[in-house]
Amino acid sequence: MQSQYDIIVIGSGLGGMTAANILARAGHKTLLCEFHHQLGGLAAWFRRKNGVIFDVSLHGFPVGMIKSCRRYWNREIADSIVQLPSIRFDNPMFSLETTFNREDFTRLLIEKFGIPAERVHAFFDKARSMTFVDDQGMTTRQLFEEFFPGREDVARLLMEPITYANGSTLDEPAITYGIVFSNFMSKGVFTFVGGTDKLIDMMKKEMLKNGVDIATNARVEKIEVEDHAVAGVVVNGQFVRAKSIVSNSNLKSTIFDMVGREHFDADFIDRAEKVRLNNSSAQVYMSLKPGEILDESRCGDLLFTSTAPKFDTKMLLSRQITSRTYSFYYPKTRPGVSERCAIVSSTNANYDDWAKLSREEYEVSKKNLIEDTLDAVEKYVPGIRQKIDWVEAATPCTFERYTLHKMGASFGTKFEGLEVSRSLPNQVAGLYHTGSVGIIMSGWLGAVNYGVIVANDADAFVRKSVSREK
């Protein structure tokens, strides 16, 4: 690290990396600081001794990633994004397969669920028209009741994947559902061929080409403020000066831990304290032995399963797991790199259910999570225990440890966090935040696009500062 930069970005999630890349490409002297030894944040991966590579986050995002990656990264990254053709649901209410786009959802709702065509079209038009300025009083539950009264099966089909994608519930503002669902519904679900490890490596090379200084194992302990404006950061005990700071850390960590409440107005602190953190996840990673092949026609690409009689977002967070989402990885996922098949099982989870356990209770609970998951997978991969050669689990405590997100929050904050995030520079000049806030900005595409928005803000601020100095 050098002693002074135009802009310092804290955290290398997709939002932080995108902001750093854009800012460096615009000519700003940019430093990216990452606490972990590898980049990516929750878009991460890990390798085990048997050679298998596991992606941490579910491998699915909207088609908009292609356009965003082409414009703000490079064409090579964008051209590696392909559609996942088989998204499956299996629960007591229905079992079906879909390409997860508007055309196929329309067909399913009319033919399988018996909904009049005009009502289906009206619902999709309503969801697509939603914007940030819409009424925030209507909840997603009320939205479904308006178009599909009493149809819990329809709400389950339309809501369950979005809950897994960003942690939203039926009682969140309807716009937090409508905007995200419309993005996915546009063309379906997509993934990056080559795996997360290849994607992050390509992003790292692009940042280095554009002049970003990248510091890993670099924990930012403090954001220094002078005369109501950022002055720089203290990273690993060293002060590094900067004109602007972009934090890709947790919103609350940024405000209360790195900056300090004394630098904000009382009203802002009150609003920041009321921001609710979103939930976390628990995941189980399974690799099949060499030569063992998953039945793609039976498993699909993404599989949303549940044994619960009806859809209940509170049950999705319960330690008594009834719902799991499986990402299936085939040799085509990492062509030329791995001929192994792997499965990642993901469930939404509450941090307190894990953090309050003793060390012994925690280890027992992880083993139980693994065994229960293997029992559940057996339905889709018969003989799973004989076919795997590695299995392990991650909990909300795991995510907190590696990302420093408070309470292991996989999806940042609830909707009220967006306004607080956007208001930061009004409190401390030159301070910006990008990350998973307000649910709408959750997921891979949301993270990238919020990084773009904030990079543009920071770019304008620094250019204006330089102009004043001249």
Side-chain angles (χ1 to χ4, degrees):
M1 295 181 296
Q2 298 181 32
S3 61
Q4 186 168 341
Y5 288 86
D6 294 327
I7 300 170
I8 296 174
V9 179
I10 304 170
S12 68
L14 290 174
M17 288 195 297
T18 301
N21 190 53
I22 291 172
L23 291 164
R25 199 164 64 181
H28 299 294
K29 187 177 177 182
T30 304
L31 171 66
L32 176 64
C33 293
E34 169 54 46
F35 153 75
H36 196 28
H37 66 80
Q38 69 181 35
L39 307 180
L42 280 168
W45 77 96
F46 59 94
R47 186 191 303 268
R48 287 296 173 249
K49 291 181 180 179
N50 60 8
V52 72
I53 303 172
F54 292 107
D55 286 348
V56 172
S57 53
L58 297 176
H59 63 305
F61 40 76
V63 67
M65 275 289 286
I66 297 176
K67 180 179 179 180
S68 291
C69 285
R70 183 180 294 118
R71 184 170 183 179
Y72 304 113
W73 286 99
N74 59 44
R75 179 173 291 278
E76 184 183 6
I77 292 175
D79 288 347
S80 296
I81 296 173
V82 298
Q83 185 175 7
L84 293 173
S86 177
I87 313 302
R88 301 190 174 202
F89 295 78
D90 186 23
N91 59 64
M93 287 182 165
F94 53 83
S95 182
L96 56 84
E97 180 181 14
T98 176
T99 53
F100 212 90
N101 54 28
R102 177 165 181 167
E103 181 181 0
D104 201 44
F105 268 126
T106 299
R107 176 187 64 80
L108 287 168
L109 288 172
I110 295 173
E111 296 178 4
K112 187 175 181 66
F113 292 82
I115 305 297
E118 61 273 12
R119 190 176 304 169
V120 174
H121 293 306
F123 171 79
F124 286 146
D125 289 342
K126 172 89 170 184
R128 182 171 291 280
S129 69
M130 289 181 172
T131 68
F132 289 103
V133 298
D134 283 339
D135 176 24
Q136 299 173 17
M138 172 183 276
T139 66
T140 304
R141 188 188 304 276
Q142 291 170 332
L143 175 67
F144 287 144
E145 279 299 307
E146 177 183 338
F147 289 93
F148 314 112
R151 293 298 300 268
E152 292 186 354
D153 54 343
V154 174
R156 187 174 206 162
L157 171 69
L158 299 176
M159 183 66 185
E160 199 160 47
I162 307 306
T163 298
Y164 272 106
N166 63 17
S168 59
T169 71
L170 288 169
D171 297 313
E172 307 284 352
I175 61 170
T176 66
Y177 166 82
I179 294 175
V180 175
F181 180 73
S182 294
N183 282 331
F184 275 104
M185 183 187 65
S186 175
K187 297 291 183 180
V189 182
F190 288 72
T191 194
F192 187 86
V193 174
T196 309
D197 49 321
K198 181 180 179 181
L199 170 66
I200 301 302
D201 183 61
M202 292 171 72
M203 288 181 166
K204 179 180 179 180
K205 289 177 180 176
E206 181 70 13
M207 286 189 291
L208 291 173
K209 186 188 79 172
N210 289 326
V212 178
D213 282 358
I214 300 174
T216 54
N217 298 302
R219 181 167 186 169
V220 174
E221 302 149 9
K222 188 72 175 174
I223 296 174
E224 296 289 358
V225 177
E226 297 174 0
D227 297 325
H228 305 290
V230 297
V233 302
V234 177
V235 52
N236 292 352
Q238 175 184 345
F239 176 67
V240 183
R241 185 168 290 279
K243 299 171 184 174
S244 179
I245 306 295
V246 175
S247 175
N248 189 211
S249 182
N250 179 274
L251 178 61
K252 290 208 165 193
S253 299
T254 301
I255 296 170
F256 297 109
D257 299 338
M258 287 190 283
V259 178
R261 63 178 63 230
E262 67 273 15
H263 295 292
F264 299 96
D265 294 341
D267 176 66
F268 180 85
I269 289 296
D270 182 59
R271 284 182 284 135
E273 287 178 333
K274 291 178 180 177
V275 172
R276 298 163 294 162
L277 291 173
N278 219 318
N279 58 272
S280 185
S281 302
Q283 298 187 352
V284 177
Y285 309 95
M286 298 156 273
S287 68
L288 274 63
K289 297 173 183 176
E292 293 285 357
I293 302 297
L294 290 167
D295 183 353
E296 193 168 348
S297 66
R298 183 170 188 167
C299 299
D301 296 297
L302 281 175
L303 173 60
F304 297 92
T305 71
S306 178
T307 57
K310 64 178 183 178
F311 176 68
D312 185 339
T313 49
K314 290 183 179 179
M315 290 181 66
L316 290 178
L317 295 169
S318 172
R319 279 285 303 279
Q320 305 302 316
I321 297 172
T322 56
S323 300
R324 292 176 172 85
T325 297
Y326 301 109
S327 289
F328 294 100
Y329 294 82
Y330 306 95
K332 65 179 182 180
T333 306
R334 289 184 167 86
V337 177
S338 176
E339 295 302 314
R340 307 283 293 277
C341 291
I343 308 168
V344 177
S345 170
S346 181
T347 64
N348 290 359
N350 282 316
Y351 175 78
D352 286 344
D353 288 340
W354 293 90
K356 292 182 178 180
L357 299 176
S358 68
R359 188 65 198 177
E360 293 75 18
E361 291 171 331
Y362 181 80
E363 292 301 329
V364 169
S365 292
K366 282 184 73 173
K367 290 179 181 178
N368 290 338
L369 172 63
I370 289 172
E371 291 302 317
D372 290 345
T373 300
L374 291 174
D375 288 341
V377 175
E378 180 73 25
K379 178 179 179 181
Y380 309 101
V381 186
I384 181 66
R385 281 181 166 81
Q386 290 72 47
K387 293 180 178 180
I388 61 173
D389 63 358
W390 187 268
V391 60
E392 65 181 281
T395 75
C397 298
T398 315
F399 295 122
E400 182 182 53
R401 174 185 175 188
Y402 285 104
T403 67
L404 300 183
H405 283 198
K406 285 182 179 291
M407 298 175 62
S410 302
F411 308 114
T413 73
K414 295 292 187 181
F415 185 66
E416 63 271 13
L418 183 60
E419 186 274 331
V420 172
S421 173
R422 298 295 291 149
S423 298
L424 273 176
N426 298 330
Q427 295 289 311
V428 178
L431 177 62
Y432 299 90
H433 173 263
T434 183
S436 188
V437 290
I439 297 178
I440 292 174
M441 293 299 180
S442 296
W444 287 35
L445 177 59
V448 167
N449 287 345
Y450 200 18
V452 173
I453 293 170
V454 172
N456 290 334
D457 292 341
D459 170 64
F461 174 82
V462 172
R463 290 184 186 281
K464 191 173 181 179
S465 299
V466 172
S467 177
R468 283 198 299 264
E469 291 172 2
K470 290 181 180 178

